[in-house]
Amino acid sequence: MNETDSSSSNRAIKIVAAVLGIPWVEVAVEAWKFAGKILRGMTHEGMYEVLEYESTLELQDKEGKKAVFRKRKKVRYLQNNIIAFQDYGWGDGDQFRGYRAKPGIPVDKYKNGYKTYILLSLREVKNRGDIDDFHIQWNIRNGFLRPDGFWETDISSHTKSVTVNLIFPKERPPQNIRLVETNIQKTSILGQDSIKPLPEGKIKITWSTNRPRLYEHYILRWDW
């Protein structure tokens, strides 16, 4: 904005203030606040918010050749006329084998950088306030062949709660589990309270948090 535009805007604010009998400074402040709310809404609101998110990665053999990933994402739409939902994931090996989702039908799949995106047609129109509970699953082949491994959870939408489960086979339990919070460069060791024995000798590791930080990358790392 040049000086002429700025001067014209100030004159307009003063005229409105005079008509309404309000000090022009207060009008300017209120206008600035209102504009800020609009911009924040456009930038951060997004298409939906996540009410609950839980994922489970199960390693099915001691070599790390077979694994299955399941996740449940309960979302509330924040806009009208939504007809599709975008899922995504990444990782080593052959991902997305036998991909299936409910609700939704996969209609497109493409890769952008290291992530693979899958577009789900909802087969109906969703509006603001509507809620969907997505159940998504796929198989992974040759994704965990190294003596150490990791699984990352990105927070790309406003999210109320997150739970991440790792299940290890009886023949190869983890030696330790570490939580890495990438953006704040923090690493924590998960305690014994996060470990639960399952039938058939399997080991389940659980990490959860409420109000995870937006755009944070939560990574569970392990040696086994």
Side-chain angles (χ1 to χ4, degrees), residues 31-111:
W32 179 261
K33 288 180 180 179
F34 180 69
K37 289 180 180 179
I38 294 176
L39 290 174
R40 286 196 298 273
M42 293 174 62
T43 303
H44 298 302
E45 186 176 64
M47 292 175 58
Y48 61 85
E49 63 176 339
V50 180
L51 304 178
E52 299 172 14
Y53 177 80
E54 182 171 4
S55 69
T56 300
L57 173 68
E58 181 176 354
L59 305 173
Q60 297 180 313
D61 65 288
K62 64 180 181 180
E63 292 82 15
K65 293 181 178 181
K66 295 190 296 182
V68 60
F69 177 65
R70 308 179 187 91
K71 63 180 174 181
R72 171 181 172 262
K73 181 178 281 190
K74 186 176 182 180
V75 306
R76 176 162 54 209
Y77 296 101
L78 301 176
Q79 298 181 19
N80 293 327
N81 303 314
I82 304 298
I83 62 172
F85 179 82
Q86 185 168 261
D87 189 24
Y88 64 90
W90 63 93
D92 295 334
D94 185 6
Q95 299 274 339
F96 305 108
R97 292 170 61 98
Y99 180 97
R100 57 182 183 270
K102 185 178 181 181
I105 298 175
V107 294
D108 193 18
K109 178 181 176 182
Y110 64 96
K111 193 164 186 176

Side-chain angles (χ1 to χ4, degrees), residues 21 54 74 148 154 206:
E54 182 171 4
K74 186 176 182 180
D148 60 343
D154 285 359
T206 298

